[in-house]
Amino acid sequence: MNNLPKSHPRYLSLLQREKIVKGFRKGMVVPQGLIAQGRAEAFDYILGEKTIRPAKKAIEAAASLFLLAKYPVISVNGNTAALAGKQVIKLARASEAKIEVNLFYRTKERKEKIEKFLISLGAKKFLVKKMPQVIIPGLKSERRKVSKEGIFKADVVFVPLEDGDRTEHLIKMGKKVVAVDLNPFSRTSQKASITIVDNIVRAIPLLIDTIQKIKNKNRNKLKTILKNYNNKKTLKEAIAIVRKRLIRMSSLN
Ligand code: ATP
Ligand code: MG
């Protein structure tokens, strides 16, 4: 749709759909990615398509973790590239992180397409493409194949739109995992070290702003922010908001 009217009440949501469909047509997004976006839309609708307070808390903790990290890596899949490619690069710049394309439905061709797309947006400096490839122990999916200079080496991995399996295995390897997932019930959300229950198109810009805001704080302050953050509690707060919204919208008076 070329003439998406800005005044349309669902403009922002439709814009995301258009980006995903465009990514699909270019061969960056798989058909399964369209389904994932649909599920995200459903949760976003329930949450009011706004960044909820628990997500803001998670973003502050994630920003602190990024700033304290020795070797942060951003894992990018087709949906993330299509929806937030530019923002991912800004995040890499703000946090001195690497970017690695890592796919559940992996083909060499699709990986290269996404890498080329990211390079066209200015990612060259941050992108880890290099072999040797190594395997995440125990993981069965294609996502087990990671770069030795990227996810394998990372102490902090940022995984927007992750699958639960890999989150679990990255944690088992001793890494801290920051997830962005609108579904607070998913295994990814439940297993990550920090879960941002928000749409990536809102969460990543907020994360960049927060990093810029707190980057001059001393390390002990950042450590305190992290120490005071409790992911289980924050997730419960997000679920309580889902419940509250459903109760309010189903109330008969
Ligand atoms: P898990 O493996 O963690 O239990 P899943 O298998 O149910 O999760 P996947 O298909 O692996 O889910 O991943 C897609 C997830 O990403 C969904 O939970 C969906 O809500 C979320 N998601 C998709 N698009 C977005 C988006 N734009 N912003 C935030 N979250 C999104
Ligand atoms: Mg999954």
Side-chain angles (χ1 to χ4, degrees):
M1 208 191 321
N2 293 323
N3 52 349
L4 206 58
K6 281 211 163 105
S7 57
H8 191 289
R10 314 257 342 113
Y11 175 74
L12 288 177
S13 176
L14 290 176
L15 192 66
Q16 283 173 54
R17 271 195 197 175
E18 289 307 309
K19 286 185 174 166
I20 287 282
V21 169
K22 213 169 144 191
F24 174 70
R25 294 208 170 108
K26 278 192 194 163
M28 296 200 305
V29 170
V30 283
Q32 293 84 342
L34 307 177
I35 298 169
Q37 173 69 11
R39 185 189 297 159
E41 282 180 8
F43 276 104
D44 215 4
Y45 227 122
I46 294 172
L47 291 172
E49 295 174 322
K50 284 196 300 264
T51 302
I52 55 175
R53 268 178 62 106
K56 289 183 186 159
K57 274 204 318 204
I59 286 171
E60 195 191 31
S64 308
L65 187 60
F66 256 117
L67 290 166
L68 290 167
K70 288 200 183 81
Y71 200 82
V73 174
I74 304 168
S75 176
V76 175
N77 69 357
N79 281 40
T80 302
L83 284 175
K86 273 191 201 150
Q87 301 299 333
V88 161
I89 296 163
K90 276 195 188 162
L91 177 61
R93 189 168 292 122
S95 58
E96 293 170 36
K98 300 276 181 224
I99 297 172
E100 180 174 347
V101 174
N102 182 269
L103 307 174
F104 188 82
Y105 301 100
R106 179 193 178 105
T107 62
K108 191 167 169 277
E109 194 194 9
R110 192 161 80 93
K111 186 171 184 280
E112 285 171 3
K113 252 185 202 156
I114 298 170
E115 286 171 350
K116 264 200 191 134
F117 175 71
L118 292 173
I119 288 169
S120 78
L121 300 176
K124 192 158 195 268
K125 204 171 128 196
F126 309 102
L127 202 61
V128 175
K129 294 200 291 185
K130 258 193 299 186
M131 301 292 154
Q133 199 177 58
V134 278
I135 299 289
I136 297 178
L139 188 58
K140 296 282 178 291
S141 81
E142 280 296 302
R143 282 197 132 165
R144 70 187 186 279
K145 295 174 185 165
V146 293
S147 165
K148 205 171 180 182
E149 288 306 311
I151 290 164
F152 193 78
K153 186 171 163 185
D155 55 343
V156 171
V157 192
F158 183 63
V159 292
L161 323 188
E162 184 56 18
D163 71 295
D165 266 16
R166 190 169 65 136
T167 302
E168 242 183 300
H169 282 90
L170 291 172
I171 298 261
K172 271 193 199 148
M173 288 171 83
K175 301 179 191 303
K176 297 269 186 242
V177 175
V178 180
V180 184
D181 191 339
L182 273 161
N183 176 6
F185 306 103
S186 74
R187 281 175 317 140
T188 302
S189 289
Q190 298 292 330
K191 296 285 178 192
S193 321
I194 297 175
T195 309
I196 302 167
V197 180
D198 198 9
N199 197 315
I200 57 163
V201 304
R202 294 188 300 268
I204 299 179
L206 273 176
L207 182 56
I208 298 166
D209 284 353
T210 311
I211 287 173
Q212 264 143 9
K213 222 183 276 162
I214 67 174
K215 74 174 175 207
N216 293 324
K217 282 191 196 254
N218 75 42
R219 290 176 69 84
N220 283 336
K221 283 235 170 78
L222 299 176
K223 282 182 189 161
T224 307
I225 293 174
L226 267 183
K227 217 170 73 199
N228 291 336
Y229 177 79
N230 179 332
N231 203 48
K232 286 268 169 297
K233 184 165 165 264
T234 311
L235 267 175
K236 284 190 174 145
E237 288 166 5
I239 293 170
I241 290 173
V242 171
R243 189 182 59 178
K244 224 157 95 190
R245 294 244 330 152
L246 292 177
I247 290 172
R248 199 185 315 136
M249 292 175 93
S250 61
S251 146
L252 293 175
N253 45 48

